[in-house]
Amino acid sequence: MGFIQAQAKAVSSSAKPNLSEEHSANNERVPQLVDITASTGIHFEHLSSPEQKYIVESMSGGVALLDYDGDGWLDIYFTNAPSVSMALAGKKARSALFHNNHDGTFTDVTEKAGVGYPCWAMGAAVGDYNNDGRPDLIVSCFGGVVLYRNNGDGTFTDVTKAAGLDKDTGWATGVTFGDYDGDGNSDLFVPHYVDLDMNDLPKFGSSKTCQYHGVAVQCGPRGLKGSPDTLYHNNGDGTFTEVAKQAGVDDPNHFFGLGAVWSDFDNDGKLDLFVGNDGEPNYLYHNEGNGHFKEMAYDAGVAVSEDGTEQANMGLALGDYLNVGRISLVVTHFSDEYAAMFRNDGGMTFSDVSRASGISRSSSPYVGWGDAFLDLDNSGWKDLILVNGHVYPQVDSVKMGTRYKEPKLVFKNQHDGTFKDVSEESGEAVRELQVSRGLAVGDLFNTGKLDVVVENLTGSPMILAAKSNPANHWVSFDLEGSPKNRLALNARVWVTIGKQRQMDEVRSGGSYLSQNDLRLHFGLGDAARIDKVEVQWPNGERQSFENIVGDHFYHLKQGGTLIPVPQTR
């Protein structure tokens, strides 16, 4: 994972968050994360090669949270991948879909759903490509993508060829849906990683780029060829047309794309696109509103670190952690680097506040993957979680200050632009050493508390329940667009209580190869009621509601009224 040097353009900004004095102190208890995997009845194992001799064996492991059957409860999809030896022998790895039983347990429904063997699966994301209101599943593969259409009866159909996506044969990674041209149909961006031939794999430890601190390891991505990215425009009839070059997002440099996410970073009403490239500069594509994008990552301050270094750029966490109405970014990286926090200062400018925010020192020893902003204690401020795990099992054989299995990291928001590392205080499960990859966040059991699902490269996943402050309140919104974009991708909600105004956004993909709950969850602190709820729909329409009762799930169809959804547990 890259350590190439680059000269970055300096980006200065005096746009500091204007935080009220009432939130300057943070004396709340540290929320606990408890491992509840055993009680859920989930039995799944991600396959892996013990030696990890090839890079393609070390990168899989995405997890998607989606309510595929529309019963109001989150289900879980884990991707899986074979080893090279398995693949060459014609053997496949079984991905798995688990149905939520509404009682704290899950049932494996993979065979009935028809989603067990999509491909050499990397990750997954959710979208509604045919605008029928049901979440469809896109799986990224070593060898393209697979699009599963949700049939509405508990089953999925592989419509990859019918949709025109079978032409994508590259190593696809962090796929993401978003309606970039505002026609109401969800388009698909597919970043691609290494141009790798299964029949001509680089030999383990064979060159300088296949060494890590003098130890022979898998080759790549440095020293290997990259692949261009693709953008598929939704034609509105169940098919897609590839338009990356016309749109200006085709990656002519063939960088090693790992993650991508759509968001309106400058609040101009048009979706922009961030692409994380492993060991190379990131891309930030600004939507010019005519079906074309302008790449401006260096000008915006997100291409490289503040000292001009290209970093590994793997997991992507987006959130308004300052409660100022702007979406900031955290990008996870390789060991000897650090997780980068890019504060959104407005006007498509960002500042690297990794050190100032307090997250750089704790994250630098580890290889970071999945990450997310989430309010663990329902305080009204977004905390941060990262999962880690090395790519080289060989590091355990020598004393170099790092290990193959690594702990997770939890950072508590201090309400002043900084975070405190509370990993050691957050529970035994956080400290447990694993080789983690994907991470997704959602309220699995409809309790008003967020849960964290981690997929590990080796062995079983881990499901963590947050034991938040019971005195704090919360609210959750399930949005339905109308008449188009029925999943309401990239719709935004603002929640105002007194002087505090929180904001969040419905998104497809993100983290590392993973999908979070599409419902928007807000902690309310000690407030039992919300002064004002504002919704901005992707087509620009706005709605607002006042004096809303907390501790409820609400459903909102565009143009309609907030409807409380009964809690059944």
Side-chain angles (χ1 to χ4, degrees):
M1 314 307 176
F3 297 98
I4 311 166
Q5 297 294 316
Q7 180 63 45
K9 295 181 180 179
V11 177
S12 61
S13 174
S14 59
K16 299 280 179 79
N18 183 18
L19 303 171
S20 61
E21 293 181 3
E22 63 182 309
H23 294 306
S24 61
N26 181 17
N27 298 316
E28 298 172 353
R29 69 177 108 180
V30 174
Q32 299 296 294
L33 286 165
V34 179
D35 181 3
I36 60 168
T37 313
S39 66
T40 65
I42 289 177
H43 299 286
F44 173 79
E45 182 174 355
H46 191 283
L47 303 179
S48 63
S49 166
E51 295 180 314
Q52 299 287 299
K53 286 189 173 183
Y54 306 102
I55 188 171
V56 72
E57 297 178 324
S58 66
M59 307 295 288
S60 171
V63 55
L65 304 185
L66 71 161
D67 178 10
Y68 78 94
D69 57 351
D71 65 356
W73 296 75
L74 283 177
D75 311 297
I76 306 175
Y77 184 70
F78 296 105
T79 67
N80 210 342
S83 64
V84 167
S85 61
M86 283 178 61
L88 293 176
K91 298 178 181 179
K92 298 179 179 180
R94 179 181 181 271
S95 299
L97 176 65
F98 289 89
H99 177 261
N100 193 322
N101 297 327
H102 310 179
D103 61 0
T105 68
F106 292 79
T107 297
D108 189 332
V109 295
T110 308
E111 275 64 45
K112 177 185 176 182
V115 293
Y117 297 94
C119 56
W120 184 310
M122 295 294 296
V126 168
D128 181 10
Y129 85 102
N130 57 357
N131 201 41
D132 63 1
R134 296 189 290 264
D136 305 305
L137 192 64
I138 185 80
V139 181
S140 59
C141 314
F142 174 52
V145 296
V146 169
L147 177 61
Y148 283 121
R149 183 188 66 213
N150 189 332
N151 298 321
D153 60 0
T155 70
F156 291 80
T157 298
D158 183 343
V159 294
T160 311
K161 186 174 182 180
L165 297 176
D166 58 319
K167 301 176 184 64
D168 196 304
T169 59
W171 182 349
T173 48
V175 290
T176 177
F177 280 104
D179 177 17
Y180 73 89
D181 58 352
D183 64 358
N185 300 311
S186 295
D187 310 298
L188 176 66
F189 182 79
V190 182
H192 291 100
Y193 196 47
V194 172
D195 182 4
L196 198 65
D197 183 351
M198 182 66 74
N199 297 308
D200 186 24
L201 294 169
K203 188 177 179 181
F204 180 84
S206 59
S207 67
K208 188 176 181 180
T209 56
C210 312
Q211 304 281 327
Y212 181 67
H213 290 272
V215 178
V217 296
Q218 61 183 237
C219 301
R222 290 178 300 156
L224 303 180
K225 294 181 180 179
S227 295
D229 299 330
T230 49
L231 174 63
Y232 294 95
H233 178 261
N234 191 326
N235 299 321
D237 60 1
T239 68
F240 293 83
T241 299
E242 207 287 304
V243 296
K245 189 170 183 178
Q246 299 96 297
V249 298
D250 56 322
D251 177 24
N253 299 309
H254 292 191
F255 286 164
F256 305 126
L258 269 187
V261 67
W262 298 98
S263 186
D264 180 6
F265 290 107
D266 59 346
N267 297 345
D268 68 352
K270 299 183 292 291
L271 282 187
D272 310 303
L273 178 65
F274 182 88
V275 183
N277 295 308
D278 188 1
E280 294 166 319
N282 298 313
Y283 291 133
L284 179 57
Y285 295 107
H286 182 244
N287 192 332
E288 297 183 311
N290 55 1
H292 191 270
F293 294 80
K294 178 183 179 182
E295 203 291 301
M296 55 179 302
Y298 272 109
D299 290 337
V302 296
V304 292
S305 70
E306 63 179 345
D307 57 5
T309 302
E310 296 164 337
Q311 297 177 294
N313 303 310
M314 295 187 281
L316 308 179
L318 275 69
D320 180 15
Y321 74 96
L322 295 164
N323 289 340
V324 293
R326 296 189 292 268
I327 297 290
S328 296
L329 276 160
V330 168
V331 187
T332 55
H333 293 125
F334 207 71
S335 59
D336 301 326
E337 299 176 346
Y338 55 83
M341 178 172 283
F342 295 108
R343 186 188 68 209
N344 189 336
D345 297 325
M348 291 299 274
T349 62
F350 294 76
S351 296
D352 183 343
V353 294
S354 312
R355 293 182 175 90
S357 68
I359 73 166
S360 63
R361 183 174 181 180
S362 299
S363 60
S364 61
Y366 305 120
V367 179
W369 301 87
D371 54 345
F373 283 109
L374 73 169
D375 189 346
L376 283 169
D377 52 2
N378 285 335
S379 67
W381 295 83
K382 289 179 173 62
D383 308 302
L384 178 66
I385 186 169
L386 320 174
V387 296
N388 306 293
H390 221 288
V391 294
Y392 309 135
Q394 293 76 21
V395 298
D396 286 342
S397 64
V398 293
K399 294 182 179 180
M400 62 174 64
T402 190
R403 295 171 290 189
Y404 187 44
K405 295 182 177 181
E406 297 179 329
K408 301 155 195 64
L409 292 172
V410 178
F411 295 95
K412 186 170 175 56
N413 194 323
Q414 299 298 286
H415 310 178
D416 60 358
T418 69
F419 290 80
K420 179 183 178 182
D421 182 355
V422 295
S423 309
E424 288 295 319
E425 308 157 62
S426 296
E428 182 180 344
V430 173
R431 300 188 295 271
E432 184 172 340
L433 304 181
Q434 296 177 319
V435 188
S436 298
R437 292 295 183 262
L439 173 148
V441 174
D443 188 346
L444 292 178
F445 308 115
N446 291 343
T447 60
K449 300 173 184 177
L450 292 176
D451 306 293
V452 179
V453 182
V454 181
E455 179 159 358
N456 295 307
L457 178 71
T458 62
S460 302
M462 177 180 275
I463 299 177
L464 299 169
K467 303 299 181 182
S468 60
N469 185 344
N472 286 343
H473 301 275
W474 58 275
V475 69
S476 179
F477 299 100
D478 174 32
L479 303 183
E480 179 185 352
S482 179
K484 292 188 173 183
N485 193 356
R486 293 183 61 187
L487 287 190
L489 295 182
N490 297 103
R492 289 186 172 184
V493 172
W494 286 263
V495 170
T496 300
I497 299 172
K499 296 181 180 180
Q500 187 190 61
R501 192 168 185 247
Q502 301 180 60
M503 183 268 284
D504 207 352
E505 173 187 58
V506 182
R507 282 186 293 273
S508 169
S511 182
Y512 178 72
L513 308 179
S514 296
Q515 174 69 55
N516 295 319
D517 190 351
L518 292 179
R519 297 175 297 182
L520 299 182
H521 176 100
F522 296 88
L524 306 180
D526 60 5
R529 303 183 78 91
I530 303 165
D531 295 333
K532 190 174 185 179
V533 173
E534 301 162 271
V535 181
Q536 179 177 311
W537 298 98
N539 66 357
E541 292 182 9
R542 289 179 175 266
Q543 291 182 261
S544 64
F545 308 88
E546 295 183 355
N547 194 25
I548 302 302
V549 178
D551 300 320
H552 280 80
F553 292 91
Y554 290 95
H555 176 79
L556 176 63
K557 184 174 182 179
Q558 187 171 354
T561 59
L562 280 176
I563 300 174
V565 179
Q567 290 175 259
T568 56
R569 181 170 183 259

